[in-house]
Amino acid sequence: MDITEVPVSQNEKGKKKKNKKPKKKNEGGSGEGSGVEVKEEDVKMEKSEAGASFPPTFSVSEIKNKQRRHLMFMKFKQEKRKQKLQVKKKKKKERDALGDKAPPKEVPKTIENQRVYDETTVDPEDEEIAFDEGTDEFSTYFNGLTNPKVLITTSDRPRGRTVRFCEQLATVIPNAYVYYRRGLALKRVIPQCVARNFTYLIVVNEDRKVPNGLVLCHLPDGPTAHFKVSSVRLRKEMKRRGKDPTEHTPEVILNNFTTRLGHSIGRMFAALFPQDPQFVGRQVATFHNQRDFVFFRFHRYIFKNEKKVGIQELGPRFTLKLRSLQKGTFDSKFGEYEWVLKRHEMDACRRKFQL
């Protein structure tokens, strides 16, 4: 086919343009109406999305858009929270309606209450344990024949954080003295401590300017415990802490040391402090064992009125994990170890604890 071009005059072009203008207005007008319809559809879609429940095979991780995935995840969490609240309210109504005939509350399953029974669990009425306590290394302390005197030192060339940690430990433990190591071996330090009537030697080790280990040696006959130190927070790093502790002798709380090993570790901690606490100071040192981690906290309790009592943390705080327990004083080469942590054997079962 032959295509021929038809010339168009300028008047005709203007006419076409003029004819198009009202069409644009009409299209704009119709567009505004359609825009309103689109907005209404979007609102309906959003409402349906908010009210719609997720299918059982739905996975939020399948959504590739990060913002959309986060939005859907938050909606999913809100729905689960609402369902939990509804179930909780329903159970409460049933319990109120039944009154005294209501069934007992379900105890949640935790690692602590599902703990595997240990044969070495201490019975306080056992005669054998009472005999061991009367003849062990701490018997002189518990019989009131000796008063604790503690020497605190560090590894060679300690940094500022470790030094401050030792100084704050000395304010927590009464009758404690901080001495710098000066490159001396512990085999030379221990006889000097015994000659000066020290009952304990505490050595704080560090790695990369952070305290990471603690050797607790009972003098003169042992035993010696080696702990891993973690989560150290000094007083300046703590929020809402109280004023610095006073020189009053604190009370000591030993919590959850149930096995024979835990019992001996608890007696080691107890022998650090004098047996006659001064209640006027209202200070408490707590060693809380949970899942073989020993959490140390130092508090002052405040009487708000006759019924209410508040506590105020003074610091420092840290966490200990027992690595080994050695008979006698510190001897890394020829020492006889009573207990050593074997991670792959002992930590195989999460519900079995050593302390």
Side-chain angles (χ1 to χ4, degrees):
M1 289 179 65
D2 294 335
I3 298 169
T4 56
E5 292 183 1
V6 179
V8 180
S9 63
Q10 291 180 356
N11 296 331
E12 288 179 358
K13 283 182 183 179
K15 287 177 184 177
K16 282 187 179 180
K17 285 180 182 177
K18 287 177 183 176
N19 293 335
K20 282 180 182 177
K21 281 179 184 177
K23 281 184 182 179
K24 282 183 181 179
K25 287 179 182 177
N26 294 334
E27 286 173 7
S30 62
E32 285 172 5
S34 62
V36 172
E37 290 174 6
V38 169
K39 285 178 183 176
E40 289 175 357
E41 288 176 3
D42 290 342
V43 171
K44 287 178 183 177
M45 287 287 288
E46 285 176 2
K47 286 182 180 177
S48 62
E49 283 179 2
S53 59
F54 296 103
T57 57
F58 175 76
S59 176
V60 180
S61 60
E62 294 174 4
I63 301 171
K64 293 183 179 179
N65 189 308
K66 186 178 179 180
Q67 292 179 346
R68 186 68 178 170
R69 185 170 62 244
H70 177 70
L71 182 67
M72 296 295 283
F73 177 71
M74 295 305 292
K75 286 181 181 178
F76 183 66
K77 281 185 75 175
Q78 284 178 0
E79 283 186 10
K80 285 191 77 175
R81 201 179 294 117
K82 284 180 182 178
Q83 289 174 5
K84 275 188 178 181
L85 282 171
Q86 287 174 0
V87 171
K88 197 174 180 181
K89 286 179 181 178
K90 188 178 178 182
K91 284 184 178 179
K92 191 179 179 182
K93 284 182 180 178
E94 290 175 358
R95 191 175 297 280
D96 293 340
L98 292 171
D100 296 334
K101 297 180 181 179
K105 288 185 178 181
E106 296 179 359
V107 179
K109 288 185 178 180
T110 60
I111 293 178
E112 282 81 10
N113 59 25
Q114 298 294 315
R115 177 177 181 171
V116 176
Y117 178 74
D118 197 333
E119 296 176 354
T120 62
T121 302
V122 173
D123 183 9
E125 298 179 358
D126 193 351
E127 294 180 359
E128 184 183 351
I129 291 168
F131 177 77
D132 290 344
E133 287 180 356
T135 56
D136 66 358
E137 298 90 346
F138 310 106
S139 58
T140 55
Y141 163 78
F142 285 100
N143 293 330
L145 301 175
T146 58
N147 288 321
K149 187 180 178 183
V150 184
L151 185 142
I152 301 173
T153 187
T154 61
S155 55
D156 293 334
R157 298 175 185 175
R159 299 298 177 133
R161 185 176 173 80
T162 307
V163 173
R164 287 194 298 274
F165 177 61
C166 292
E167 289 172 352
Q168 292 183 16
L169 263 184
T171 61
V172 172
I173 303 170
N175 207 15
Y177 304 89
V178 180
Y179 288 96
Y180 295 110
R181 183 80 168 270
R182 296 178 182 174
L184 289 173
L186 285 180
K187 288 183 179 180
R188 293 181 61 187
V189 173
I190 290 171
Q192 294 180 23
C193 293
V194 174
R196 296 179 185 182
N197 298 323
F198 282 99
T199 60
Y200 266 103
L201 172 65
I202 297 176
V203 183
V204 180
N205 298 317
E206 69 172 4
D207 182 34
R208 298 178 184 178
K209 305 179 183 180
V210 177
N212 73 327
L214 188 140
V215 177
L216 187 62
C217 181
H218 184 258
L219 302 175
D221 301 321
T224 303
H226 180 213
F227 297 94
K228 176 188 174 184
V229 181
S230 60
S231 305
V232 177
R233 293 188 69 180
L234 304 178
R235 289 190 181 119
K236 284 189 177 179
E237 299 166 0
M238 297 172 63
K239 295 180 180 178
R240 299 175 184 173
R241 66 179 179 88
K243 293 181 180 179
D244 292 342
T246 57
E247 295 181 357
H248 296 92
T249 304
E251 302 171 55
V252 181
I253 296 174
L254 302 169
N255 191 15
N256 205 20
F257 293 94
T258 55
T259 63
R260 290 293 292 268
L261 177 64
H263 197 60
S264 59
I265 294 297
R267 284 170 71 84
M268 279 190 81
F269 289 139
L272 282 168
F273 298 85
Q275 292 195 55
D276 50 346
Q278 296 172 344
F279 299 103
V280 178
R282 298 177 284 113
Q283 296 178 161
V284 185
T286 306
F287 294 91
H288 174 74
N289 173 40
Q290 186 172 357
R291 303 183 190 181
D292 288 346
F293 288 92
V294 181
F295 299 92
F296 175 80
R297 299 290 184 270
F298 193 56
H299 290 97
R300 178 187 291 126
Y301 52 90
I302 302 166
F303 294 102
K304 295 181 179 179
N305 52 40
E306 294 178 356
K307 295 182 179 180
K308 289 186 179 180
V309 179
I311 57 173
Q312 188 179 41
E313 190 169 0
L314 305 178
R317 66 161 67 170
F318 53 90
T319 306
L320 300 174
K321 173 81 170 176
L322 184 65
R323 288 261 183 91
S324 64
L325 183 66
Q326 182 182 354
K327 291 183 178 179
T329 56
F330 180 80
D331 190 352
S332 58
K333 288 186 178 180
F334 306 106
E336 182 183 353
Y337 285 90
E338 189 176 336
W339 183 87
V340 179
L341 175 65
K342 298 176 182 177
R343 286 182 57 200
H344 298 291
E345 295 178 15
M346 296 177 178
D347 294 348
C349 180
R350 292 184 63 197
R351 295 184 292 112
K352 189 172 183 180
F353 306 118
Q354 308 302 321
L355 301 181

